[in-house]
Amino acid sequence: MIYAILAYLLWGAFPAFFPLLEPAAPLEILAHRFVWTLGFMVLVLTVTRHWRPLREASLRTWGWVALAGFFISGNWGIYVYTVNTGHVAEAALGYFINPIVSVALGVLFLKERLSPLQTLSVGIAFLGVLVLTITLGTPPLLALGLAFSFGFYGLIKKRVPLTSTESLTAETIVIFPIAAAYLLFLSSQGESTFTEFGWQHTALLMTAGVVTATPLLFFGKGVKEVPLAAIGMLQYMTPTMQMLWAVFVTKEDISTARWVGFIIIWVSVAIFMTDIALRARHRAHIKKSRRV
């Protein structure tokens, strides 16, 4: 649970980071993210000596890894584009929708069961998302793309028989050739910003690997140990932070109706977290009684 919370806190701070990478375009930022993430993960696996599971991984495992890489690539690409074009609130909406997607995927594919309070919480969250979607006036395509791409990424990570570090390294290896080829293409066309805007810009693009890999490592660890439904509901921490950024920093206009939708969702999160706390307390009480 702690790993998952750390991941969502870091992701919630991303609207402050990605605009620093401009004037690089979203696709260039995404390509640099994969290139430098691989460099970081190669170092991590070399130090921890965890290369053997990747060498011995089956074709089926590499297939799941490739699929995970596809979904997280799409997710990062949509997210960077949405944030860097000044639509932080829509990015937040995507991550408000995603927990419902995660819960649905957990129930449909992993046969996870929801308690009555958790079911009530999900129902309230669905109502809140419905209010938010209606107030936009148009289909929130970017938000839906974010929600479903990350939802399926989380589902696949549950099925990959590798640790978080091994899995992240493997999915980055799969995407690396495409990312490197795109960066070489930009350089050949004179459109790369990597060395054109000072050493600070170059350094920021290089740090994108570590900055984006760290929460993914935490998420990969958390998603292995925590039910997907709980992972989904915890994720509301991220869009809540993004909404606060949109309101107080980028000064986006948030209508009263949309505030109503957000408040409804926060109520659902409070109910879900209360249920988790009550269950943890009940399990602790049972263990204590057995020891006595």
Side-chain angles (χ1 to χ4, degrees):
M1 190 71 74
I2 292 174
Y3 282 113
I5 290 172
L6 286 172
Y8 291 135
L9 286 174
L10 289 173
W11 277 325
F14 274 7
F17 175 71
F18 283 113
L20 299 176
L21 305 182
E22 295 177 339
L27 277 180
E28 183 181 3
I29 293 172
L30 182 64
H32 275 290
R33 180 261 169 200
F34 279 103
V35 167
W36 300 111
T37 294
L38 181 58
F40 173 64
M41 295 310 302
V42 165
L43 178 62
V44 170
L45 257 67
T46 300
V47 171
T48 58
R49 300 180 180 180
H50 277 192
W51 282 107
R52 184 174 179 179
L54 293 189
R55 291 194 298 266
E56 297 178 350
S58 65
L59 287 177
R60 178 183 176 85
T61 296
W62 278 102
W64 281 117
V65 163
L67 194 57
F70 167 78
F71 278 114
I72 198 61
S73 299
N75 183 264
W76 280 117
I78 296 170
Y79 181 79
V80 173
Y81 172 80
T82 305
V83 170
N84 283 12
T85 53
H87 296 88
V88 178
E90 185 158 358
L93 175 58
Y95 290 114
F96 273 126
I97 296 173
N98 175 253
I100 296 176
V101 174
S102 293
V103 170
L105 293 176
V107 172
L108 289 174
F109 292 100
L110 304 179
K111 308 303 180 184
E112 294 179 355
R113 292 187 176 185
L114 302 179
S115 70
L117 268 183
Q118 290 173 348
T119 303
L120 173 64
S121 172
V122 172
I124 293 174
F126 180 80
L127 175 63
V129 169
L130 187 62
V131 170
L132 288 170
T133 302
I134 292 173
T135 57
L136 279 176
T138 57
L141 298 180
L142 292 174
L144 290 172
L146 285 169
F148 279 91
S149 60
F150 197 75
F152 277 101
Y153 176 72
L155 176 64
I156 292 167
K157 294 288 276 190
K158 294 283 278 187
R159 294 178 177 270
V160 174
L162 298 170
T163 67
S164 59
T165 53
E166 296 159 1
S167 178
L168 179 56
T169 304
E171 66 195 48
T172 308
I173 287 173
V174 171
I175 302 298
F176 173 80
I178 301 173
Y182 180 72
L183 291 178
L184 290 174
F185 170 76
L186 286 182
S187 296
S188 68
Q189 299 297 309
E191 297 178 3
S192 172
T193 69
F194 186 56
T195 59
E196 300 299 320
F197 293 90
W199 68 267
Q200 297 95 334
H201 180 69
T202 301
L204 281 169
L205 284 174
M206 293 176 68
T207 60
V210 177
V211 169
T212 57
T214 302
L216 280 173
L217 285 172
F218 289 152
F219 177 80
K221 178 68 174 177
V223 79
K224 290 284 188 181
E225 307 296 336
V226 180
L228 196 59
I231 284 286
M233 295 305 291
L234 282 173
Q235 189 181 335
Y236 280 122
M237 296 169 59
T238 295
T240 297
M241 293 174 65
Q242 292 172 347
M243 277 304 305
L244 293 174
W245 183 268
V247 171
F248 294 108
V249 179
T250 60
K251 306 297 183 181
E252 291 187 43
D253 182 39
I254 310 296
S255 66
T256 302
R258 292 182 73 180
W259 276 118
V260 170
F262 292 132
I263 292 171
I264 291 173
I265 288 174
W266 290 328
V267 169
S268 83
V269 175
I271 293 173
F272 198 94
M273 296 307 295
T274 298
D275 182 78
I276 290 176
L278 290 173
R279 286 174 172 272
R281 184 177 178 182
H282 179 67
R283 286 194 297 268
H285 178 72
I286 291 176
K287 288 181 180 178
K288 184 177 180 180
S289 299
R290 287 175 178 174
R291 286 197 298 268
V292 173

CSV table of all heavy atoms in Angstrom, one decimal, residues 2-40:
chain,number,residue,atom,x,y,z
A,2,ILE,N,2.0,1.2,0.8
A,2,ILE,CA,2.8,2.4,0.9
A,2,ILE,C,3.5,2.7,-0.5
A,2,ILE,O,3.6,3.8,-0.9
A,2,ILE,CB,3.9,2.2,2.0
A,2,ILE,CG1,3.2,2.2,3.3
A,2,ILE,CG2,5.0,3.3,1.9
A,2,ILE,CD1,4.2,1.9,4.5
A,3,TYR,N,3.9,1.6,-1.2
A,3,TYR,CA,4.5,1.8,-2.5
A,3,TYR,C,3.6,2.4,-3.5
A,3,TYR,O,3.9,3.3,-4.2
A,3,TYR,CB,5.0,0.4,-3.0
A,3,TYR,CG,6.3,0.0,-2.5
A,3,TYR,CD1,6.3,-1.2,-1.7
A,3,TYR,CD2,7.5,0.6,-2.7
A,3,TYR,CE1,7.5,-1.6,-1.1
A,3,TYR,CE2,8.7,0.2,-2.2
A,3,TYR,CZ,8.7,-1.0,-1.4
A,3,TYR,OH,9.9,-1.4,-0.9
A,4,ALA,N,2.3,2.0,-3.4
A,4,ALA,CA,1.3,2.5,-4.3
A,4,ALA,C,1.0,4.0,-4.0
A,4,ALA,O,0.9,4.8,-4.9
A,4,ALA,CB,0.0,1.7,-4.2
A,5,ILE,N,1.0,4.4,-2.8
A,5,ILE,CA,0.7,5.7,-2.4
A,5,ILE,C,1.9,6.6,-2.8
A,5,ILE,O,1.7,7.7,-3.3
A,5,ILE,CB,0.5,5.8,-0.8
A,5,ILE,CG1,-0.8,5.2,-0.5
A,5,ILE,CG2,0.6,7.3,-0.4
A,5,ILE,CD1,-1.0,5.1,1.0
A,6,LEU,N,3.1,6.2,-2.6
A,6,LEU,CA,4.3,6.9,-3.1
A,6,LEU,C,4.2,7.2,-4.6
A,6,LEU,O,4.6,8.3,-5.1
A,6,LEU,CB,5.6,6.2,-2.7
A,6,LEU,CG,6.0,6.2,-1.2
A,6,LEU,CD1,7.2,5.3,-1.0
A,6,LEU,CD2,6.3,7.7,-0.8
A,7,ALA,N,3.9,6.1,-5.4
A,7,ALA,CA,3.8,6.3,-6.8
A,7,ALA,C,2.8,7.4,-7.2
A,7,ALA,O,3.1,8.2,-8.0
A,7,ALA,CB,3.4,5.0,-7.4
A,8,TYR,N,1.6,7.4,-6.6
A,8,TYR,CA,0.6,8.3,-6.9
A,8,TYR,C,0.9,9.7,-6.5
A,8,TYR,O,0.6,10.7,-7.1
A,8,TYR,CB,-0.8,7.9,-6.3
A,8,TYR,CG,-1.3,6.6,-7.0
A,8,TYR,CD1,-1.9,5.6,-6.2
A,8,TYR,CD2,-1.3,6.5,-8.3
A,8,TYR,CE1,-2.4,4.5,-6.8
A,8,TYR,CE2,-1.8,5.4,-9.0
A,8,TYR,CZ,-2.3,4.3,-8.2
A,8,TYR,OH,-2.8,3.2,-8.8
A,9,LEU,N,1.6,9.9,-5.4
A,9,LEU,CA,2.1,11.2,-4.9
A,9,LEU,C,3.1,11.8,-5.9
A,9,LEU,O,3.0,13.0,-6.3
A,9,LEU,CB,2.8,11.1,-3.5
A,9,LEU,CG,1.8,10.9,-2.4
A,9,LEU,CD1,2.6,10.7,-1.1
A,9,LEU,CD2,0.9,12.1,-2.2
A,10,LEU,N,4.0,11.0,-6.4
A,10,LEU,CA,5.0,11.4,-7.4
A,10,LEU,C,4.3,11.8,-8.7
A,10,LEU,O,4.6,12.8,-9.3
A,10,LEU,CB,6.1,10.4,-7.6
A,10,LEU,CG,7.0,10.2,-6.5
A,10,LEU,CD1,7.9,9.0,-6.7
A,10,LEU,CD2,7.9,11.4,-6.3
A,11,TRP,N,3.4,10.9,-9.2
A,11,TRP,CA,2.6,11.2,-10.4
A,11,TRP,C,1.8,12.5,-10.3
A,11,TRP,O,1.7,13.3,-11.2
A,11,TRP,CB,1.7,10.1,-10.8
A,11,TRP,CG,2.4,9.0,-11.5
A,11,TRP,CD1,3.4,9.1,-12.4
A,11,TRP,CD2,2.2,7.6,-11.4
A,11,TRP,NE1,3.8,7.9,-12.9
A,11,TRP,CE2,3.1,6.9,-12.3
A,11,TRP,CE3,1.3,6.8,-10.7
A,11,TRP,CZ2,3.2,5.6,-12.4
A,11,TRP,CZ3,1.4,5.4,-10.8
A,11,TRP,CH2,2.3,4.8,-11.7
A,12,GLY,N,1.3,12.8,-9.1
A,12,GLY,CA,0.5,14.0,-8.9
A,12,GLY,C,1.4,15.3,-9.0
A,12,GLY,O,0.8,16.3,-9.3
A,13,ALA,N,2.7,15.1,-8.9
A,13,ALA,CA,3.6,16.3,-9.0
A,13,ALA,C,4.1,16.5,-10.4
A,13,ALA,O,4.7,17.5,-10.7
A,13,ALA,CB,4.8,16.1,-8.1
A,14,PHE,N,3.7,15.6,-11.4
A,14,PHE,CA,4.2,15.7,-12.7
A,14,PHE,C,3.8,17.0,-13.5
A,14,PHE,O,4.6,17.4,-14.4
A,14,PHE,CB,3.9,14.5,-13.5
A,14,PHE,CG,4.8,13.3,-13.3
A,14,PHE,CD1,5.9,13.4,-12.4
A,14,PHE,CD2,4.7,12.2,-14.1
A,14,PHE,CE1,6.8,12.4,-12.2
A,14,PHE,CE2,5.6,11.1,-13.9
A,14,PHE,CZ,6.6,11.2,-13.0
A,15,PRO,N,2.7,17.5,-13.3
A,15,PRO,CA,2.3,18.8,-14.0
A,15,PRO,C,3.4,19.9,-13.8
A,15,PRO,O,3.5,20.8,-14.6
A,15,PRO,CB,1.0,19.2,-13.4
A,15,PRO,CG,0.3,17.9,-13.0
A,15,PRO,CD,1.5,17.1,-12.5
A,16,ALA,N,4.1,19.8,-12.7
A,16,ALA,CA,5.2,20.8,-12.4
A,16,ALA,C,6.4,20.5,-13.2
A,16,ALA,O,7.3,21.4,-13.4
A,16,ALA,CB,5.5,20.9,-10.9
A,17,PHE,N,6.6,19.2,-13.6
A,17,PHE,CA,7.9,18.8,-14.2
A,17,PHE,C,7.8,18.9,-15.8
A,17,PHE,O,8.8,19.5,-16.4
A,17,PHE,CB,8.2,17.4,-13.8
A,17,PHE,CG,9.4,16.8,-14.5
A,17,PHE,CD1,10.7,17.3,-14.2
A,17,PHE,CD2,9.3,15.8,-15.5
A,17,PHE,CE1,11.8,16.8,-14.9
A,17,PHE,CE2,10.4,15.3,-16.2
A,17,PHE,CZ,11.7,15.8,-15.9
A,18,PHE,N,6.8,18.4,-16.4
A,18,PHE,CA,6.8,18.3,-17.9
A,18,PHE,C,6.9,19.6,-18.6
A,18,PHE,O,7.6,19.7,-19.6
A,18,PHE,CB,5.7,17.4,-18.4
A,18,PHE,CG,5.9,15.9,-18.2
A,18,PHE,CD1,5.1,15.2,-17.3
A,18,PHE,CD2,6.9,15.3,-18.9
A,18,PHE,CE1,5.4,13.9,-17.1
A,18,PHE,CE2,7.1,13.9,-18.7
A,18,PHE,CZ,6.3,13.2,-17.8
A,19,PRO,N,6.2,20.7,-18.1
A,19,PRO,CA,6.4,21.9,-18.8
A,19,PRO,C,7.8,22.5,-18.8
A,19,PRO,O,8.2,23.3,-19.7
A,19,PRO,CB,5.5,22.9,-18.0
A,19,PRO,CG,4.4,22.0,-17.5
A,19,PRO,CD,5.2,20.7,-17.1
A,20,LEU,N,8.7,22.0,-17.9
A,20,LEU,CA,10.1,22.4,-17.8
A,20,LEU,C,10.8,21.8,-19.0
A,20,LEU,O,11.9,22.3,-19.4
A,20,LEU,CB,10.7,21.9,-16.5
A,20,LEU,CG,10.2,22.4,-15.2
A,20,LEU,CD1,10.9,21.7,-14.1
A,20,LEU,CD2,10.3,23.9,-15.1
A,21,LEU,N,10.3,20.8,-19.7
A,21,LEU,CA,11.0,20.2,-20.8
A,21,LEU,C,10.7,20.9,-22.1
A,21,LEU,O,11.3,20.5,-23.2
A,21,LEU,CB,10.6,18.7,-20.9
A,21,LEU,CG,10.8,17.9,-19.7
A,21,LEU,CD1,10.4,16.4,-19.9
A,21,LEU,CD2,12.2,18.0,-19.2
A,22,GLU,N,9.8,21.9,-22.2
A,22,GLU,CA,9.6,22.6,-23.4
A,22,GLU,C,10.8,23.4,-23.7
A,22,GLU,O,11.6,23.8,-22.8
A,22,GLU,CB,8.4,23.5,-23.2
A,22,GLU,CG,7.1,22.8,-23.0
A,22,GLU,CD,5.9,23.7,-22.8
A,22,GLU,OE1,6.1,24.9,-22.3
A,22,GLU,OE2,4.8,23.2,-23.0
A,23,PRO,N,11.1,23.7,-25.0
A,23,PRO,CA,10.2,23.6,-26.2
A,23,PRO,C,10.2,22.2,-26.8
A,23,PRO,O,9.8,22.1,-28.0
A,23,PRO,CB,10.8,24.6,-27.1
A,23,PRO,CG,12.2,24.6,-26.9
A,23,PRO,CD,12.4,24.4,-25.4
A,24,ALA,N,10.7,21.1,-26.2
A,24,ALA,CA,10.6,19.8,-26.8
A,24,ALA,C,9.2,19.4,-27.0
A,24,ALA,O,8.4,19.7,-26.1
A,24,ALA,CB,11.4,18.8,-25.9
A,25,ALA,N,8.9,18.8,-28.1
A,25,ALA,CA,7.5,18.4,-28.4
A,25,ALA,C,7.2,17.1,-27.6
A,25,ALA,O,8.1,16.4,-27.1
A,25,ALA,CB,7.3,18.1,-29.9
A,26,PRO,N,5.9,16.8,-27.4
A,26,PRO,CA,5.5,15.6,-26.6
A,26,PRO,C,6.2,14.3,-27.0
A,26,PRO,O,6.6,13.6,-26.2
A,26,PRO,CB,4.0,15.6,-26.7
A,26,PRO,CG,3.6,17.0,-26.9
A,26,PRO,CD,4.7,17.6,-27.7
A,27,LEU,N,6.3,14.1,-28.4
A,27,LEU,CA,6.9,12.9,-28.8
A,27,LEU,C,8.4,12.8,-28.6
A,27,LEU,O,8.9,11.7,-28.2
A,27,LEU,CB,6.6,12.7,-30.3
A,27,LEU,CG,5.3,12.1,-30.8
A,27,LEU,CD1,5.1,12.0,-32.3
A,27,LEU,CD2,5.0,10.7,-30.1
A,28,GLU,N,9.0,13.9,-28.7
A,28,GLU,CA,10.5,14.0,-28.3
A,28,GLU,C,10.7,13.7,-26.8
A,28,GLU,O,11.6,13.0,-26.4
A,28,GLU,CB,11.1,15.3,-28.7
A,28,GLU,CG,12.6,15.3,-28.5
A,28,GLU,CD,13.3,16.6,-28.8
A,28,GLU,OE1,12.5,17.6,-29.2
A,28,GLU,OE2,14.5,16.7,-28.7
A,29,ILE,N,9.8,14.3,-26.0
A,29,ILE,CA,9.9,14.1,-24.6
A,29,ILE,C,9.7,12.6,-24.3
A,29,ILE,O,10.4,12.0,-23.5
A,29,ILE,CB,8.9,14.9,-23.8
A,29,ILE,CG1,9.2,16.4,-23.9
A,29,ILE,CG2,8.8,14.5,-22.3
A,29,ILE,CD1,8.2,17.3,-23.4
A,30,LEU,N,8.7,12.0,-24.9
A,30,LEU,CA,8.4,10.6,-24.7
A,30,LEU,C,9.6,9.7,-25.1
A,30,LEU,O,9.9,8.7,-24.4
A,30,LEU,CB,7.1,10.2,-25.5
A,30,LEU,CG,6.6,8.8,-25.3
A,30,LEU,CD1,6.2,8.5,-23.9
A,30,LEU,CD2,5.5,8.5,-26.3
A,31,ALA,N,10.2,10.0,-26.2
A,31,ALA,CA,11.3,9.2,-26.7
A,31,ALA,C,12.5,9.3,-25.7
A,31,ALA,O,13.1,8.3,-25.4
A,31,ALA,CB,11.7,9.7,-28.1
A,32,HIS,N,12.8,10.5,-25.3
A,32,HIS,CA,13.9,10.7,-24.3
A,32,HIS,C,13.6,10.0,-23.0
A,32,HIS,O,14.5,9.4,-22.4
A,32,HIS,CB,14.1,12.2,-24.0
A,32,HIS,CG,15.0,12.8,-25.0
A,32,HIS,ND1,16.4,12.6,-25.1
A,32,HIS,CD2,14.7,13.8,-26.0
A,32,HIS,CE1,16.9,13.3,-26.1
A,32,HIS,NE2,15.9,14.0,-26.6
A,33,ARG,N,12.3,10.0,-22.7
A,33,ARG,CA,11.9,9.3,-21.4
A,33,ARG,C,12.3,7.8,-21.5
A,33,ARG,O,12.9,7.2,-20.5
A,33,ARG,CB,10.4,9.4,-21.2
A,33,ARG,CG,9.8,8.8,-20.0
A,33,ARG,CD,9.2,7.4,-20.3
A,33,ARG,NE,8.9,6.7,-19.1
A,33,ARG,CZ,8.7,5.4,-19.1
A,33,ARG,NH1,8.8,4.7,-20.2
A,33,ARG,NH2,8.5,4.8,-17.9
A,34,PHE,N,12.0,7.1,-22.6
A,34,PHE,CA,12.4,5.7,-22.8
A,34,PHE,C,13.9,5.5,-22.9
A,34,PHE,O,14.4,4.5,-22.3
A,34,PHE,CB,11.6,5.1,-24.0
A,34,PHE,CG,10.2,4.8,-23.7
A,34,PHE,CD1,9.2,5.5,-24.1
A,34,PHE,CD2,9.9,3.6,-22.9
A,34,PHE,CE1,7.9,5.2,-23.9
A,34,PHE,CE2,8.6,3.3,-22.6
A,34,PHE,CZ,7.6,4.1,-23.1
A,35,VAL,N,14.6,6.3,-23.6
A,35,VAL,CA,16.0,6.1,-23.7
A,35,VAL,C,16.7,6.2,-22.4
A,35,VAL,O,17.5,5.4,-22.0
A,35,VAL,CB,16.6,7.2,-24.7
A,35,VAL,CG1,18.1,7.2,-24.7
A,35,VAL,CG2,16.1,6.9,-26.2
A,36,TRP,N,16.4,7.3,-21.6
A,36,TRP,CA,17.1,7.5,-20.4
A,36,TRP,C,16.6,6.6,-19.3
A,36,TRP,O,17.3,6.3,-18.3
A,36,TRP,CB,17.1,9.0,-20.0
A,36,TRP,CG,17.7,9.8,-21.0
A,36,TRP,CD1,17.1,10.7,-21.9
A,36,TRP,CD2,19.1,9.9,-21.4
A,36,TRP,NE1,18.0,11.3,-22.7
A,36,TRP,CE2,19.2,10.8,-22.5
A,36,TRP,CE3,20.2,9.2,-21.0
A,36,TRP,CZ2,20.5,11.1,-23.1
A,36,TRP,CZ3,21.4,9.4,-21.6
A,36,TRP,CH2,21.6,10.4,-22.6
A,37,THR,N,15.3,6.2,-19.4
A,37,THR,CA,14.8,5.2,-18.4
A,37,THR,C,15.6,3.9,-18.5
A,37,THR,O,16.0,3.3,-17.5
A,37,THR,CB,13.3,5.0,-18.6
A,37,THR,OG1,12.6,6.1,-18.3
A,37,THR,CG2,12.8,3.8,-17.7
A,38,LEU,N,15.9,3.5,-19.8
A,38,LEU,CA,16.6,2.3,-20.0
A,38,LEU,C,18.0,2.4,-19.4
A,38,LEU,O,18.5,1.4,-18.8
A,38,LEU,CB,16.7,1.9,-21.5
A,38,LEU,CG,17.4,0.6,-21.8
A,38,LEU,CD1,16.8,-0.6,-21.1
A,38,LEU,CD2,17.5,0.4,-23.3
A,39,GLY,N,18.7,3.5,-19.6
A,39,GLY,CA,20.0,3.7,-19.0
A,39,GLY,C,20.0,3.5,-17.5
A,39,GLY,O,20.8,2.9,-16.9
A,40,PHE,N,19.0,4.1,-16.9
A,40,PHE,CA,18.8,4.1,-15.4
A,40,PHE,C,18.5,2.6,-15.0
A,40,PHE,O,19.2,2.1,-14.0
A,40,PHE,CB,17.7,5.0,-15.0
A,40,PHE,CG,17.3,4.9,-13.5
A,40,PHE,CD1,18.2,5.2,-12.5
A,40,PHE,CD2,16.1,4.5,-13.1
A,40,PHE,CE1,17.9,5.1,-11.2
A,40,PHE,CE2,15.7,4.4,-11.8
A,40,PHE,CZ,16.7,4.7,-10.8
